[in-house]
Structure formats: structure tokens, C-alpha cells
Amino acid sequence: MLSVYEGFFSGGARIVHSDVLLGLVEGGQQWHRVLSLHGEVHRESTTQRMEDDACYRALTAGGVEVTSLGRTAGLVDGTVAASVFSGPELADTARAMAGADVILSLKEQPLALLNQAGLPRRPVVVCLHRSDPENQGQALDELKAAIADGTVVACVCCAESTRDAYEAAGIPGELLHVIPNGVDLLRFRPDAALRLAFRESLGIPATAPDAPVVVFAARYAGMKNVPLFLRAARAWLAREGGGHVVMCGAGMTEDNPALWADIEVAFGADRAALGDRVHLLGVRHDMETVYAGSDVVALTSASGEAAPLCLIEGMMCGAVPVTTDVGDSASIVEGHGFVTPFDPDAIAFAWSAAVADRELFAPALAASRERFSRTRMIAAYADLLDHVVGDVRDELRPGVSGQ
């Protein structure tokens, strides 16, 4: 199997897909490698080199070969990589494809490459991780072209909202298979020692009633609705005298002038009084520690989300999820947390309610762990890919195609 990535940069889709590949390789029945279009990406005010990425390091440490076409790009939400490729790039792609039975495209953007004429013809499975196909630039057209050509044989949707949105956009329903996101339950779990260590690292008292913590794990992008989160944070911090807000992800750093501008607008005159309880941590590779140290995991996204990984990871570590109604978020947190309108005061009150009811939600969170299991997710991927490979081999068997 060959997976094609647009690049290695911070985001839930790459985390999920890379974890799936590692799980499939661990099973010993499939061989996987990865080809990345870009070796370096500039986005969310952050330069992200492939070799520095946690997913790249995990894949290579797990025995998955990762190569790149070496491109450098400044990507913006809703755009695709340039659709013009050089001879050497196409030759490298052809060599990578030649040894694969099936190609996996992480999201639809790599189809700009895979749709190029002259490449080996292989069945493609596209892994879809958003719920707004119309906002993906030319990527939806590339997907439709690959389906019309017979190249795309299946699409994996990480959420029901993804399937519904792509079917509404004209993708045949029989190609759309829902495999919900899952996480490593051994890694993401309540941990008192990690909780204490995280809070001590930021100078936050260990006890939640005196110092509740809300974590916002997202890259700095328009769809994440950072200004709404900050307005809610201002209202909540003003009411919760010992509360702290943690922001982590690409662009969530002091080096991002756009984020600072958002903070100034949201906090206004309260910036000096409340700002020391806002912690900008940037990209973290120990999210299990961050979530274990938090009481609430917040999401304020306006669009695009499907099955947000932050909600699942946070819940499994014991943080109560509070989210806007986007993608499958409402169904994910049902019985485990709160769904809010796009109103900062309503969100702030929901955070306080989540802190107050954290112990009451604990049994429901514990009972739902199997539903969000990485093992369940990987088994579903393995089953789908085995069927695709089986169909390919049947077509190659003499006499089968004519039956």
C-alpha cells in the first residue's frame, strides 16, 4: 500500500491516518509506505519540516518508509498543491506507485498528482476528514474526475457528517464508507501523575475547584473560530478567578501576530489583568499530558470539522468536552459534555458547568472508551483494504473479469 500525503503538518487527519498505517503494519499482513508531495510547509505562522513532524518520526520509527517530492509550499485552507508536476516528480511518483497494489490518498488534495496522465493505474482509496467538500478549492473536482475515470474505488469518511456532505456534493453513496476516528486508549487516559506534572509546569494548582483549566487544541485557522474562543475565554476568566486557559497547536504561539491581534480585540482593557492566565503552548507532542491536566476540552469551530480528534482525545483523558454543533461533534459528546450556540457567554457558562459536573461525567466517559478505540478503527480499515485488494486480485485472475 502507498499513502500519498499533501505534506506533514500539524492536524488531526495526518495524526489519524499515520496511526492507522502503524496499526496496519503492526498487524503484519500489510506493507505500507508514504509519499509526501511537500518536504516543508509554511502555514499558521509556522514552518513545519517533514523530518521534524511527530507523525513522520512515528512512521519511520515503526518501519514505514517515507519519501517526499521535496516541494516547499505555503498552504492556505481550501487550496490544493499546484497541479503542474515536473518530469522527475512524476518519475518518482511512478516508481512509488509501481510497487503498490492500492493507493491511499490522505484527503482529496493529492489527487492533483495522482490524476496526472502516464502514471501507473492503481485503485485509489481516498480518506476524507472534513465536512465541507465545497470549500476545498479544486480538490472536489479532482475527486469527481478520479471517480469518473474509475480510479477511485472507495472513500473512507471519518464521520457521518462527512459522508452526508460528500454525497450531497455528488459523490456516489456506494463509494462512501464511514470509519469513525479512534485513539490509543493506553496513551489517552486519565493520569494523576501527568495531571500534576502538567499543572506544575505552568504554575497551576493541582486541584480543579480552585484552578480549573480549559484547553483549546487547534491550529490557527479561520474554521477554528479562534476569536469566538477568546471572547468566551475573557468572559470565563473574569468569572472564574483561579481559572486558566491553555491554547496549543500550530500558530498558537507568541510569535503569531495575528493571534496577538485577536487577543487584544477579545480582551481589550482586561488584557493585563487576565492575560497571565492564558498559556500559548504551540505544537505539543504530549497531548495526553495536556488533556490529563485539563478539566474541559473546548471546540468553537464554525465549519469544516468532521470527527474532531481533540474532543475524543480530551474525553478519554477525563476532560469534559464543550463544543459548537459542527460535523459529528454533537453526537460525539452526547451524554459526555455540552453543545453550545456560537455565543461567548453561553460557551463560558458551559465551561463552568463542565467543571462543576466533571466527576458526574466520569462514569459515562469511562463506559464509552471502546467506542473510541484505535483498535476498532484499524480493524475496520484493514477489512476495507483487504476487500479492495481482493477485488484487484480477482480482476487479474484469468477468466474472472469475463464472468
Side-chain angles (χ1 to χ4, degrees):
M1 310 270 179
L2 171 71
S3 286
V4 184
Y5 289 17
E6 190 179 10
F8 280 86
F9 44 89
S10 180
R14 266 146 295 280
I15 293 172
V16 169
H17 192 93
S18 299
D19 199 29
V20 167
L21 297 191
L22 287 171
L24 293 172
V25 169
E26 289 166 4
Q29 296 182 350
Q30 295 181 358
W31 180 81
H32 288 261
R33 61 177 299 192
V34 174
L35 173 67
S36 176
L37 274 67
H38 297 91
E40 182 176 276
V41 172
H42 308 281
R43 55 184 275 164
E44 287 95 43
S45 299
T46 307
T47 297
Q48 301 178 68
R49 295 176 62 250
M50 181 176 77
E51 292 81 5
D52 297 331
D53 184 80
C55 290
Y56 170 85
R57 292 179 174 180
L59 287 169
T60 53
V64 178
E65 180 184 354
V66 181
T67 57
S68 168
L69 297 183
R71 291 187 163 204
T72 299
L75 301 180
V76 181
D77 262 358
T79 67
V80 297
S83 59
V84 177
F85 296 88
S86 69
E89 288 174 334
L90 292 174
D92 287 345
T93 303
R95 282 192 290 270
M97 294 176 67
D101 296 310
V102 177
I103 311 296
L104 280 71
S105 175
L106 176 52
K107 305 174 73 171
E108 57 269 55
Q109 281 78 4
L111 293 173
L113 171 64
L114 298 177
N115 283 348
Q116 297 292 309
L119 293 176
R121 191 167 179 84
R122 298 289 186 273
V124 174
V125 176
V126 183
C127 303
L128 303 172
H129 288 269
R130 290 183 60 143
S131 60
D132 57 346
E134 303 289 358
N135 293 329
Q136 299 297 295
Q138 298 300 311
L140 180 60
D141 292 336
E142 296 282 3
L143 176 58
K144 290 180 177 179
I147 291 172
D149 183 57
T151 302
V152 170
V153 298
C155 299
V156 176
C157 304
C158 73
E160 293 290 343
S161 57
T162 302
R163 181 188 61 78
D164 293 344
Y166 277 84
E167 188 170 16
I171 304 304
E174 62 269 20
L175 294 180
L176 300 169
H177 305 264
V178 178
I179 301 179
N181 287 343
V183 301
D184 183 350
L185 298 181
L186 294 177
R187 178 185 174 193
F188 293 99
R189 57 186 177 84
D191 189 308
L194 290 182
R195 180 178 179 83
L196 179 61
F198 177 72
R199 286 171 167 260
E200 285 184 343
S201 72
L202 297 180
I204 301 173
T207 55
D210 299 325
V213 174
V214 173
V215 60
F216 183 65
R219 57 193 175 88
Y220 184 82
M223 64 175 278
K224 301 297 183 179
N225 214 345
V226 175
L228 175 60
F229 173 82
L230 290 170
R231 291 197 300 273
R234 177 183 180 273
W236 185 73
L237 290 171
R239 186 169 64 250
E240 299 283 349
H244 289 258
V245 168
V246 171
M247 303 177 71
C248 52
M252 300 298 185
T253 67
E254 296 181 357
D255 298 329
N256 184 354
L259 175 59
W260 274 115
D262 289 341
I263 292 174
E264 292 292 339
V265 170
F267 281 74
D270 292 331
R271 175 70 182 91
L274 303 178
D276 63 342
R277 290 190 280 141
V278 177
H279 307 270
L280 307 179
L281 304 186
V283 176
R284 298 277 297 214
H285 302 308
D286 62 341
M287 288 307 299
E288 67 277 16
T289 300
V290 177
Y291 291 130
S294 302
D295 303 291
V296 178
V297 55
L299 187 74
T300 55
S301 294
S303 64
E305 301 285 4
L309 204 59
C310 65
L311 296 179
I312 301 172
E313 292 177 344
M315 286 194 307
M316 295 301 97
C317 290
V320 178
V322 178
T323 180
T324 47
D325 188 3
V326 57
D328 276 23
S329 296
S331 64
I332 288 172
V333 309
E334 183 178 5
H336 305 97
F338 298 92
V339 178
T340 70
F342 293 89
D343 176 79
D345 291 321
I347 293 169
F349 277 112
W351 292 351
S352 293
V355 172
D357 294 343
R358 183 166 177 264
E359 295 303 320
L360 297 178
F361 280 116
L365 292 174
S368 68
R369 289 179 66 79
E370 183 179 353
R371 171 187 169 192
F372 298 107
S373 165
R374 169 187 190 256
T375 302
R376 181 267 311 153
M377 174 182 66
I378 292 170
Y381 268 90
D383 185 60
L384 175 63
L385 294 176
D386 284 345
H387 277 89
V388 172
V389 171
D391 290 343
V392 170
R393 290 172 178 168
D394 285 345
E395 290 179 2
L396 297 176
R397 192 178 303 140
V400 172
S401 61
Q403 293 179 356

